[in-house]
Amino acid sequence: MTDEIENNKDILNTEISGEMKKSYLDYAMSVIVSRALPAIEDGLKPVQRRILYSMNLMGLKPGSQTKKSARIVGDVLGKFHPHGDTAVYDALVRMAQDFSLRYPLIFGQGNFGSIDADPPAAMRYTEARLMPITSELLQDIDKNTVKFASNFDNSLKEPELLPGKLPTLLLNGASGIAVGMATNIPPHNLTEVCDAIVTYIKNPEITFEKLAEIITGPDFPTGGYVSGDMLELYKTGRARLILRGKTTTEEIGKKEAIVISEIPYMLNKSTLVSQIADMITNKKIKDVADLRDESSKGKIRIVIELRKGANAKFVTNALYKYTRLQDFFNVNFLALVKGQPKVLNLKEVLREYVEYRKKIITNRTKFELNKASERLEVVEGLLIALKNIDEVVAGIKKSKSIAEASEFLSNKFKLSKRQITAILETKLQQLTSLEHEKLKKEKEDLEKSIIEYQKILENLDEILRIIIKEVNELKRNYGDNRRTYVLQRVSDISEKDLVQKKEVVITITERGYSKRMDVKAYREQKRGGKGVIGSNLATGDFVKQLITCCTHDYLMFFTSRGRVLWLKAYDIPEAEKYSKGKSLANLLTLKEERITSVISVNNFEDYLFMATRNGQVKKISLNHFSKPRISGLKAINLPEDNSDVLIGVEIVKKGQEVFLATKKGQAIRFNSDDIRDMGRASYGVTGIKLGKEDKVVSLEILKSQAILSITKNGYGKRTAVKDYRKTARAGKGVINLKVSEKTGEIVTTTSLDAEDSIIITTAKGMVIRTSLKNIRVMGRATQGVRIVKLSPGDSVTDLIKVHENGLVENS
């Protein structure tokens, strides 16, 4: 048996491992080159190229009548692509889907699938033709611009590449899994790509930073947001991008709703809706009252209706965390360069495009030059014949055969074979004088064209000029606006897309509970009214601070230990008037301290003015707090023995006056400019000298004409600011209110105008809003009048003014 094997000439003696390695590499390269990876030159995979070329041969050009997809698939299979019909039809369908390709190459008529992953109709039901933009890919294919190779059975020729005037690979991207490698290229905006090509041609040494300013990032057909290191992507050809759908908030009836209008690229919309529904069922996404898919006619609209009082920001964050509304796109810019797989950066992609277009334009110009030269030769021969028409006719009449006539013309007029053939094929109607003039004009035009073609072939700058001209034509004819918004960071999503901008009231209780309510929740009452229940508070808790702000403002929380922490106003949960709210301990990182003051800011300009219980004051630039930290920052350096705490923090501008009031009825007024700007580590300077057992209870930045003081037992009065003598800081001040057992100690003060209203909160959670019409202006040494009627055991805790326009301001 062994002898038979050794004598068999058909058996190849080789090492099995070497043979397997060679066979595997042959298979791998076949998959890489013939199936999975696109060519950098025209941006297409073989099956895509064959479909477009076959459709072009069938005459399915833009504006023509569509033909059955089954006919197209059959033509491609029978002539160029000897694989399964499913593979061809799937590729055809994808090139027609406007949610798969940024710039579809095929116009499809019928059901070509949907973003819900609904399958397309069978190929016998659908029809197709080429899109106008596809003609730019195929332009000049009949002018010897590209190489042709034999098809699978050597019966036809097919192009190895298309002329590729359109930079398809950058515009539509590509994805594919080969053997041992994969490509995943995102689509881009045509206008930006064209601008980048022109800029690169004018300056091949352009930096990646400058290119990244032109091509700002991928532009997906489904829109949405994209975030990632774009500079790294275009430098290396690899990056991890974060994709987010676009969400907005709407008022539907009396409820707020999150509306998803754009979703991440290649995400199945029905899968997203199912994911959201599952997360709602599993309680990972809360406060959702209803979920509806209202998408129609190609426009996405997923409505997530919220329960009353829900915060859209938190629900949106949950959507990003638990569903594919936030997705990832791992870029690997891998393509075939001259038949070899290579990872490319942006400059290499642009260079390869320009180099390929140079070859195409050169080949096209050579073809046009040869064609013009041949025609010029024929025209010159015809002109010679017309000039000697009588001799030519006579000589041809005397000739006994075509060969003899050809010999006569060659010997008599020294004409070439091409010229002789043209003369002998000329009809009698072309011997008129009019035709003679046409030929002379044609000769002049051909001579000019030949000079122009020669100039192009001899000068590289002319070729580059043509490339720039053609690219600008692409931009003019097909350019459009970006669909995908590029974010520097994911957190940069515009607040107006997530949270409704409106004025709200934030309440802070003594035990650290906070909630957000609409300012309209308070109704005005007459002096002496009993008010409305502001909070369903726990026993012993009371509303300590109540401020107004916009939902987009920053809230700065100052603690008893002099630290400051930040939250956005919309981070405070919205709640009913009767709800106690949510504990700030669950929203902030507190360290054995309590919140003593909260202010709202929408920019970090001007200064902060701080006052402590022991009469210390400090002025510091808001710019020191412009970069919020989760762990917080030290705002004032208080004594470590806890002998002093912050009692007030206000925003102050240059030249504004400061007013400090004490619980025993003293007050001081001085200019804020008397206090120098300090750093975060300082304790400050003395603002007022206090008497025995006296403490500072309020800090006011004077902006109005009067000061309203209120006591623990509900008594208060208005006093003109001018009645308080202006002094230097660190004085004992003047009498503010005559404190007695009936009035109780002063709780707080506020500066206000006659048109303003006030809101008073009490220890038992009562809230009353009243105007100042019945509270007359009094002198400093009076005890005032009863402003609020308190129930037994209740006491005033805070005073807030409400401007005439409805805005609330904390004291």
Side-chain angles (χ1 to χ4, degrees), residues 719-738:
T719 303
V721 171
K722 64 182 180 181
D723 288 349
Y724 296 90
R725 186 177 72 256
K726 186 176 178 181
T727 66
R729 69 168 182 85
K732 291 185 177 180
V734 297
I735 294 176
N736 173 33
L737 185 144
K738 189 176 180 181

Side-chain angles (χ1 to χ4, degrees), residues 196-425:
I197 293 170
V198 171
T199 305
Y200 172 79
I201 292 173
K202 293 179 179 178
N203 178 21
E205 303 302 320
I206 187 172
T207 63
F208 286 102
E209 288 78 7
K210 291 293 183 182
L211 283 174
E213 291 177 5
I214 300 171
I215 299 182
T216 56
D219 189 23
F220 298 100
T222 53
Y225 300 94
V226 61
S227 175
D229 191 341
M230 301 306 169
L231 187 58
E232 181 71 14
L233 163 61
Y234 295 132
K235 271 186 176 181
T236 65
R238 290 189 173 97
R240 182 177 174 85
L241 304 179
I242 299 174
L243 308 185
R244 274 189 170 184
K246 181 179 179 181
T247 63
T248 56
T249 56
E250 293 183 8
E251 293 290 338
I252 299 178
K254 294 183 179 180
K255 293 183 179 179
E256 192 174 22
I258 298 170
V259 177
I260 302 172
S261 56
E262 297 174 6
I263 63 176
Y265 182 54
M266 298 305 292
L267 173 61
N268 182 332
K269 177 168 65 65
S270 60
T271 298
L272 175 63
V273 175
S274 297
Q275 275 188 332
I276 296 172
D278 290 341
M279 293 301 105
I280 294 170
T281 302
N282 297 333
K283 305 297 183 182
K284 288 190 174 182
I285 299 177
K286 301 177 181 178
D287 297 326
V288 175
D290 192 18
L291 171 64
R292 301 187 300 274
D293 185 359
E294 298 180 355
S295 307
S296 65
K297 298 181 179 178
K299 291 187 177 181
I300 294 174
R301 182 178 169 84
I302 302 170
V303 180
I304 304 166
E305 197 171 295
L306 305 181
R307 291 194 177 96
K308 191 174 182 180
N311 188 301
K313 172 66 176 178
F314 292 121
V315 178
T316 303
N317 284 340
L319 290 171
Y320 289 143
K321 182 176 182 179
Y322 298 118
T323 75
R324 288 185 63 192
L325 189 61
Q326 177 174 302
D327 212 350
F328 297 95
F329 191 97
N330 295 309
V331 180
N332 189 30
F333 215 113
L334 178 70
L336 296 174
V337 181
K338 298 179 178 62
Q340 298 297 318
K342 181 181 179 182
V343 177
L344 302 149
N345 61 41
L346 182 56
K347 284 182 73 171
E348 289 173 331
V349 173
L350 298 178
R351 183 177 67 243
E352 291 296 335
Y353 172 82
V354 172
E355 291 300 317
Y356 185 61
R357 288 303 295 167
K358 283 180 187 177
K359 293 179 182 178
I360 296 298
I361 292 171
T362 299
N363 292 341
R364 181 183 70 193
T365 306
K366 288 178 179 178
F367 177 85
E368 298 285 3
L369 177 61
N370 291 335
K371 186 177 178 182
S373 299
E374 291 174 1
R375 179 59 184 169
L376 179 61
E377 182 183 350
V378 170
V379 170
E380 287 175 342
L382 292 174
L383 287 172
I384 291 172
L386 287 174
K387 185 177 180 181
N388 303 279
I389 188 63
D390 293 335
E391 290 183 70
V392 170
V393 171
I396 292 174
K397 286 176 66 178
K398 292 178 181 179
S399 301
K400 295 181 179 179
S401 64
I402 294 176
E404 188 176 332
S406 298
E407 186 179 354
F408 162 72
L409 293 173
S410 175
N411 294 334
K412 180 68 177 178
F413 303 105
K414 309 298 182 184
L415 299 174
S416 66
K417 289 184 179 180
R418 185 176 286 109
Q419 289 172 326
I420 293 169
T421 301
I423 291 170
L424 293 176
E425 292 177 353

Side-chain angles (χ1 to χ4, degrees), residues 49 79 84 108 123 145 150 154 179 187 248 310 327 329 366 382 396 428 433 444 507 665 683 686 705:
R49 188 179 302 116
K79 293 180 178 178
M123 67 180 79
T145 52
S150 298
N154 293 321
V179 179
T248 56
D327 212 350
F329 191 97
K366 288 178 179 178
L382 292 174
I396 292 174
L428 291 176
S433 59
E444 293 174 2
T507 64
Y683 179 33
T686 302
Q705 300 300 314

Side-chain angles (χ1 to χ4, degrees), residues 140-155:
D140 302 323
I141 196 169
D142 55 349
K143 295 182 178 180
N144 294 339
T145 52
V146 294
K147 291 182 179 179
F148 279 73
S150 298
N151 68 342
F152 61 90
D153 62 358
N154 293 321
S155 61

Side-chain angles (χ1 to χ4, degrees), residues 459-474:
N459 190 345
L460 178 61
D461 290 340
E462 285 296 316
I463 295 178
L464 295 177
R465 182 184 60 80
I466 292 172
I467 295 175
I468 291 175
K469 178 185 175 184
E470 291 182 346
V471 167
N472 284 330
E473 286 176 354
L474 288 175

Side-chain angles (χ1 to χ4, degrees), residues 663-680:
K663 70 177 182 179
K664 296 295 185 181
Q666 290 296 111
I668 189 171
R669 170 190 171 202
F670 59 88
N671 196 305
S672 65
D673 290 346
D674 293 346
I675 311 297
R676 62 179 176 82
D677 183 14
M678 305 176 195
R680 289 191 296 106

Side-chain angles (χ1 to χ4, degrees), residues 35 103 189 370 465 469 604 609 613 673 787:
R35 295 190 188 183
Y103 300 93
N189 182 265
N370 291 335
R465 182 184 60 80
K469 178 185 175 184
F604 292 91
F609 200 94
R613 181 174 58 189
D673 290 346
I787 295 178

Side-chain angles (χ1 to χ4, degrees), residues 44 47 80 114 151 320 372 418 425 514 538 542 663 777:
L44 300 174
V47 65
F80 307 117
S114 73
N151 68 342
Y320 289 143
R418 185 176 286 109
E425 292 177 353
S514 179
F542 61 90
K663 70 177 182 179
V777 178

